[in-house]
Amino acid sequence: MVCVLSVGSLPVMAQSTMPAATANGIDAAAADVLKATGVPSASVSVVQNGKVAYVKAYGMARLDPPMPAETGMQYSIGSISKQFTAALVLLLQQDGKLKLDDPVGKYLPELTRANEVTIRQVLSMTSGYQDFWPEDYVMTSMMKSTTPQQILDIWGKKPLDFEPGTEWQYSNTNYVIAGRIAEIAGGKPLIEQLQMRIFQPLKMTGVFNSDASRLPPNDPTGYYQHALGPLRPAPQEGQGWMFAAGELAMPASDLALWNISMMNRTLLAPASYEEMFTEVKLKDGKGTGYGLGVEVGNRNGHRFIAHDGEVSGFVSENIVFPDDKAAVTVLTNEDASNAASALGRKIAPLVLSGASAAEVSSAEAVSAEKRALDIFRGLQDGKLDRSQLTALCDAYFTPEAVGDFATSLKPLGVPTSFKQVAEEKRGGMTFRAFNVAFPGRQVRVTVYEMPDGKLEQYLVIPTGS
């Protein structure tokens, strides 16, 4: 069949073999996830047989005044931006302007142990540089403008969290380093190089630098909520914080063009794609599940290349099955939500038979569960022991926030279960996620715990799965 896809302001004709039943299944999945999570909108693109097969937007891009979501709208894609930075670094290597195994000190000698950490380790999250933004909300300190150099002057000069190459730990700081190296080696601002070398050749005409300014009025508003309280317009990060790590916004259809280029390997040299898509191993030989700017792995026999993203007000999910010439992109406009990943998990089996995502789980952490549950019960009553919080988390819990937590959580009653389902190290902290069940309802709690035990984050979010 032939469908008309709205890409930017231009209608694009795309051949599709997607059966009506598949399209209807995607529509039903989107309706289910938006209803379950309360996320205002989702923009979806699907690639099948190496071609754009389906592009559709659901829900409301803005709530007041009401504005329906449209496929040409630009959503912030957050950390999906990292793979574009990685691709540019690989292009610069092709030009002979740098090498992946160069020490970062060749370009940024002032960084901690700069002559011992390589560009490859920065791109693969194995460097040891501490994450400057692991939290799932915008701290008050990030509402003021900054520069990449100011970020590096603080986080790039801290002691490393681990010996280079011995662990994998996600860190936005790595990509600020990579972006600055790309600017130094390429001799031009990062966004100019990305436009010239990636977006223009691939005809990705809807890309917007959301680190430089807010999205235009005809694009979606990003939202957030305190627990299950009302949706509110999300605060904007200060200019400069998202440089190279999460600065891009675009329609889902533009990401579909990028996905096609990855599966067909049309932009980079063959050796560069091998570098990007090969799992990086630690010094002890253990796998990391990560290449250069992308997660890599296998789902039920199908090789995948993926990444998700989150910035204030937006969460995204992008997964490519290169051997199957298929891809799924989901962009949403509410932060700290699992709607994008939940919808991606529902769409993948429809697009690719047998594709599914295993739920992440870990051993029970009884003391962590008890502490998180005690805080949850306190918030249901509008009470909060602020001595357990860092200064930034304390600032997040304004009277408005505490009120929203209480009014939205109290009606749920007593949880029937409160279980930790994830735990990992990031940004010098321990991240934990808990599934909280009630009769007919489930929510998720996410926390970041400092080494001294204080909490840098405590969020409650609806769950779509």
Side-chain angles (χ1 to χ4, degrees):
M1 83 182 197
V2 178
C3 60
V4 180
L5 308 179
S6 175
V7 181
S9 59
L10 299 175
V12 175
M13 299 298 290
Q15 294 291 332
S16 171
T17 57
M18 180 180 287
T22 304
N24 292 339
I26 294 171
D27 293 347
D32 288 345
V33 169
L34 292 188
K35 181 179 179 181
T37 62
V39 167
S41 74
S43 185
V44 172
S45 68
V46 173
V47 173
Q48 280 188 312
N49 301 316
K51 297 180 180 180
V52 181
Y54 200 68
V55 177
K56 192 166 181 179
Y58 306 86
M60 302 301 294
R62 296 194 175 207
L63 301 178
D64 186 20
M67 184 171 72
E70 296 180 2
T71 56
M73 290 177 172
Q74 300 163 129
Y75 285 67
S76 291
I77 65 170
S79 289
I80 295 175
S81 303
K82 289 180 172 68
Q83 57 200 264
F84 296 102
T85 300
L88 176 60
V89 171
L90 287 163
L91 287 168
L92 291 169
Q93 178 174 252
Q94 291 174 201
D95 298 341
K97 295 182 177 179
L98 57 77
K99 295 179 181 178
L100 289 183
D101 293 319
D102 283 342
V104 298
K106 183 175 180 180
Y107 307 91
L108 299 167
E110 73 277 12
L111 301 185
T112 298
R113 299 174 63 177
N115 291 326
E116 302 173 53
V117 179
T118 66
I119 296 173
R120 185 189 305 275
Q121 289 170 334
V122 163
L123 293 177
S124 63
M125 306 292 187
T126 59
S127 70
Y129 287 109
Q130 187 174 107
D131 191 2
F132 72 84
W133 190 16
E135 298 87 351
D136 296 309
Y137 65 100
V138 182
M139 296 84 71
T140 52
S141 58
M142 290 185 63
M143 294 181 188
K144 299 177 181 178
S145 296
T146 191
T147 66
Q149 189 59 51
Q150 288 174 332
I151 293 172
L152 297 184
D153 283 344
I154 299 174
W155 284 273
K157 295 180 180 179
K158 286 187 173 188
L160 300 183
D161 281 348
F162 51 85
E163 289 295 307
T166 64
E167 294 185 33
W168 184 94
Q169 193 174 127
Y170 195 85
S171 173
N172 289 290
T173 307
N174 284 319
Y175 273 75
V176 178
I177 295 170
R180 283 295 296 128
I181 290 174
E183 290 188 328
I184 294 166
K188 293 181 179 179
L190 177 69
I191 194 67
E192 288 185 20
Q193 295 186 67
L194 292 173
Q195 285 283 2
M196 180 178 65
R197 305 206 62 177
I198 298 177
F199 305 142
Q200 291 176 9
L202 296 179
K203 296 180 171 53
M204 297 170 62
T205 59
V207 178
F208 181 84
N209 181 9
S210 59
D211 192 37
S213 64
R214 282 183 175 270
L215 289 171
N218 59 337
D219 281 320
T221 291
Y223 292 91
Y224 80 112
Q225 62 183 153
H226 302 304
L228 308 183
L231 291 174
R232 305 179 186 276
Q236 178 79 8
E237 305 94 342
Q239 188 175 4
W241 284 105
M242 295 186 292
F243 169 79
E247 78 278 26
L248 301 176
M250 63 187 70
S253 51
D254 269 16
L255 268 173
L257 298 177
W258 167 249
N259 292 340
I260 291 169
S261 77
M262 286 200 292
M263 61 183 66
N264 292 335
R265 302 193 173 200
T266 56
L267 186 69
L268 309 181
S272 293
Y273 280 114
E274 286 302 315
E275 297 264 28
M276 189 174 186
F277 300 156
T278 298
E279 179 186 40
V280 172
K281 302 290 179 115
L282 300 177
K283 288 184 177 181
D284 64 4
K286 292 180 181 177
T288 62
Y290 205 83
L292 305 181
V294 289
E295 301 166 17
V296 294
N298 189 289
R299 288 186 181 180
N300 294 337
H302 299 273
R303 187 166 64 95
F304 72 81
I305 302 159
H307 216 288
D308 57 11
E310 180 182 15
V311 292
S312 184
F314 295 90
V315 178
S316 55
E317 180 88 0
N318 193 61
I319 182 165
V320 180
F321 299 96
D323 301 331
D324 302 277
K325 303 295 184 183
V328 176
T329 300
V330 182
L331 311 179
T332 63
N333 63 329
E334 183 187 343
D335 64 20
S337 166
N338 75 336
S341 60
L343 183 51
R345 287 197 300 271
K346 288 178 178 287
I347 293 175
L350 299 173
V351 174
L352 182 68
S353 178
S356 63
E359 289 295 320
V360 177
S361 62
S362 63
E364 288 189 0
V366 176
S367 62
E369 290 172 351
K370 182 180 184 304
R371 182 191 193 191
L373 175 58
D374 287 345
I375 293 173
F376 187 93
R377 288 172 171 167
L379 286 167
Q380 285 183 304
D381 293 327
K383 300 174 182 177
L384 179 62
D385 179 3
R386 293 181 180 272
S387 68
Q388 298 193 58
L389 312 181
T390 65
L392 290 172
C393 192
D394 182 61
Y396 168 82
F397 276 103
T398 60
E400 175 189 86
V402 174
D404 284 352
F405 270 73
T407 56
S408 64
L409 299 181
K410 184 69 170 179
L412 297 179
V414 178
T416 56
S417 69
F418 197 110
K419 295 295 183 183
Q420 181 172 304
V421 294
E423 179 180 332
E424 64 181 28
K425 300 293 185 182
R426 183 174 169 189
M429 297 179 284
T430 300
F431 169 81
R432 291 188 175 92
F434 306 87
N435 279 349
V436 189
F438 301 89
R441 185 70 190 265
Q442 183 168 288
V443 300
R444 180 161 291 193
V445 169
T446 61
V447 305
Y448 274 100
E449 183 179 317
M450 299 290 285
D452 65 4
K454 291 201 172 185
L455 296 182
E456 178 85 341
Q457 170 174 303
Y458 190 100
L459 298 181
V460 179
I461 58 178
T463 179
S465 60

